[in-house]
Amino acid sequence: MKPLLPLEEAQERLIAMAQPLPSEIVPIGDALGRYLAEDVLADRNQPAADMSAMDGYAIRFEDRNGPWQLVGECKAGSPPCPPIQEGQAARIFTGALLPEGADTVVMQENVEPDGNTIVLTSDPSPAKGRHVRFQGGDFEAGDVALKAGIRLNAAALGHAVIAGSGSISVGRSPTVAILSTGDELVAPGSDTKPHQIPASNDVMIAAMLSQLPTQTRSISRIKDDLDSLCEALDSARDCHVIVTIGGASVGDHDLVAPAFQRLGGQTDFWKIAMKPGKPLMAGKLGKSLVLALPGNPGSAFVTATLFLVPLIRYLAGAQEFMPVMQTANTNTVLPATGQRAEFLRAQIDDSGISAFDSQDSAKLSILAAADALLFRPAHSPEQPVGATVSYIAI
Ligand code: AMP
Ligand code: MG
């Protein structure tokens, strides 16, 4: 029997089959969740000039004890107000430019106006520059504001805007067709006969992809029939990625591989040393990358986490595209593993990580209750309670 392909090798081979998509420029407000294609360099200093961080009075530090003669008012959005001289103060508001001559701001809570004179009612300012935001204190023109390959979150979009960007270069979003197959599958919410089941994987996999930059097309519930499968696969050839769910094994009604081959698809790998997920297949159909996931929900979820999600991230321009492994102490004894790496559905809390007793990959109740996939490398010895293990948060 052909040995199963080690997990890491399969992951590397899938990425080697792919190439990040070209970039496109999008308005900054449309870039949430996309991967940055080029470094964003700041076009401006932030702040552009020294400004106030408080509502109060701009003064010279030498005059910190007051009293001051009030000579002007500086507002955010106005050009600088006139310079101040010895013994003078200007009313100033948060975000207003500091007038020439001033180097310190006294909070309005610490003073009292007495006609045109301002007197100190608290301790004097302890340091020159108090409550001043200095020119370039956040970043300077030419600084790298954001690095290529990062995922743009809300704060990163804000940073890009303040650095001067109105649009931004991001990796294109891959188009993904999700094909599910099985005579037993019916639409969500339908009445089911005992020989039927609702097609849960279609929604689950689409939901996993909806958190990534993708455009998905669902071709659900294809019959276990070679012609129907060929037709469905053929209709998805315009997509960057075709994901099939179910029918990936070697049963008489597992027709994904035969359909793929009939259309001239090139298999890169099939059968991985992992549990669940052994029947996973990857290949190319024309320009489309094809990933055939097994149908059991636990297997589909685990293979999507380890192969599909990283592939989509990579295509979309991510620098870090593999699942993040974290560590925790196991609350249960973990038996030795064989030639397959294992991903146990588990729950994690402050006490550690607890793998469920049942690891039946058909049970959605377990998958839905899990918040981690506990990773057991192939050929690893039994682990006692308290041993440090790796997991992927889900
Ligand atoms: P298969 O990989 O086609 O042999 O399917 C393995 C198991 O997963 C069978 O019990 C199928 O009924 C189930 N299954 C396959 N596809 C889906 C789907 N889209 N949604 C829910 N269960 C599925
Ligand atoms: Mg099937």
Side-chain angles (χ1 to χ4, degrees):
M1 207 177 75
K2 226 177 120 198
L4 301 173
L5 189 64
L7 171 66
E8 291 77 15
E9 207 179 315
Q11 288 175 306
E12 278 164 22
R13 279 173 70 157
L14 180 65
I15 294 302
M17 285 165 64
Q19 253 193 340
L21 301 179
S23 60
E24 62 179 345
I25 293 182
V26 299
I28 196 81
D30 295 341
L32 184 66
R34 305 288 294 270
Y35 294 98
L36 188 59
E38 295 162 15
D39 288 353
V40 170
L41 301 185
D43 276 344
R44 51 187 299 281
N45 296 317
Q46 176 58 24
D50 297 349
M51 58 175 57
S52 180
M54 286 286 170
D55 293 332
Y57 294 85
I59 61 160
R60 299 165 2 131
F61 183 65
E62 298 98 291
D63 304 339
R64 59 189 171 283
N65 293 308
W68 303 274
Q69 183 205 356
L70 185 62
V71 292
E73 186 170 294
C74 322
K75 293 194 304 175
S78 296
C81 59
I84 63 164
Q85 316 287 337
E86 188 180 345
Q88 295 182 334
R91 182 82 173 106
I92 197 162
F93 298 96
T94 306
L97 296 181
L98 218 61
E100 209 184 300
D103 54 24
T104 302
V105 171
V106 183
M107 281 163 68
Q108 66 186 29
E109 291 86 337
N110 294 348
V111 300
E112 227 163 58
D114 177 7
N116 234 11
T117 304
I118 309 293
V119 289
L120 193 66
T121 55
S122 175
D123 292 336
S125 202
K128 190 169 173 171
R130 200 63 161 194
H131 304 313
V132 176
R133 294 181 189 140
F134 290 99
Q135 179 183 40
D138 191 355
F139 55 80
E140 292 184 340
D143 284 355
V144 176
L146 299 171
K147 283 217 162 279
I150 62 153
R151 184 145 199 226
L152 292 165
N153 62 17
L157 295 185
H159 194 181
V161 170
I162 207 88
S165 304
S167 56
I168 198 159
S169 177
V170 292
R172 274 177 203 273
S173 301
T175 48
V176 185
I178 305 171
L179 276 63
S180 69
T181 150
D183 287 350
E184 71 280 31
L185 303 177
V186 298
S190 308
D191 289 337
T192 50
K193 307 221 167 60
H195 60 280
Q196 296 177 321
I197 59 163
S200 59
N201 285 338
D202 311 36
V203 169
M204 181 180 75
I205 299 296
M208 291 170 87
L209 295 181
S210 72
Q211 296 169 8
L212 300 170
T214 50
Q215 293 167 44
T216 55
R217 183 195 308 164
S218 267
I219 309 177
S220 278
R221 306 185 306 278
I222 304 154
K223 291 288 166 209
D224 285 320
D225 150 89
L226 199 54
D227 289 339
S228 308
L229 259 169
C230 284
E231 198 183 308
L233 275 174
D234 200 39
S235 75
R237 275 171 179 269
D238 59 320
C239 288
H240 295 112
V241 178
I242 303 174
V243 192
T244 65
I245 310 168
S249 213
V250 287
D252 290 349
H253 303 287
D254 289 325
L255 297 172
V256 168
F260 176 70
Q261 276 148 16
R262 198 212 266 183
L263 292 178
Q266 301 291 315
T267 306
D268 190 283
F269 60 80
W270 191 10
K271 299 210 169 52
I272 316 300
M274 68 185 289
K275 193 175 163 180
K278 184 173 111 180
L280 181 77
M281 187 201 78
K284 273 196 157 177
L285 183 60
K287 287 191 176 152
S288 306
L289 290 156
V290 178
L291 201 55
L293 310 183
N296 269 321
S299 318
F301 186 91
V302 168
T303 48
T305 302
L306 290 157
F307 288 88
L308 177 60
V309 169
L311 173 66
I312 299 299
R313 288 197 192 120
Y314 181 70
L315 290 171
Q319 179 75 36
E320 305 288 341
F321 48 86
M322 294 309 283
V324 176
M325 287 277 187
Q326 304 179 67
T327 55
N329 298 326
T330 176
N331 288 331
T332 62
V333 174
L334 298 167
T337 58
Q339 65 158 332
R340 293 203 267 165
E342 296 180 16
F343 289 89
L344 310 176
R345 273 69 74 211
Q347 273 181 331
I348 186 143
D349 61 27
D350 291 346
S351 72
I353 188 162
S354 313
F356 288 100
D357 287 342
S358 167
Q359 290 292 328
D360 184 342
S361 57
K363 289 186 180 168
L364 264 165
S365 56
I366 289 171
L367 183 60
D371 44 30
L373 296 176
L374 193 166
F375 173 50
R376 301 278 291 124
H379 307 293
S380 64
E382 180 184 287
Q383 296 297 311
V385 169
T388 304
V389 293
S390 301
Y391 71 91
I392 300 168
I394 57 173

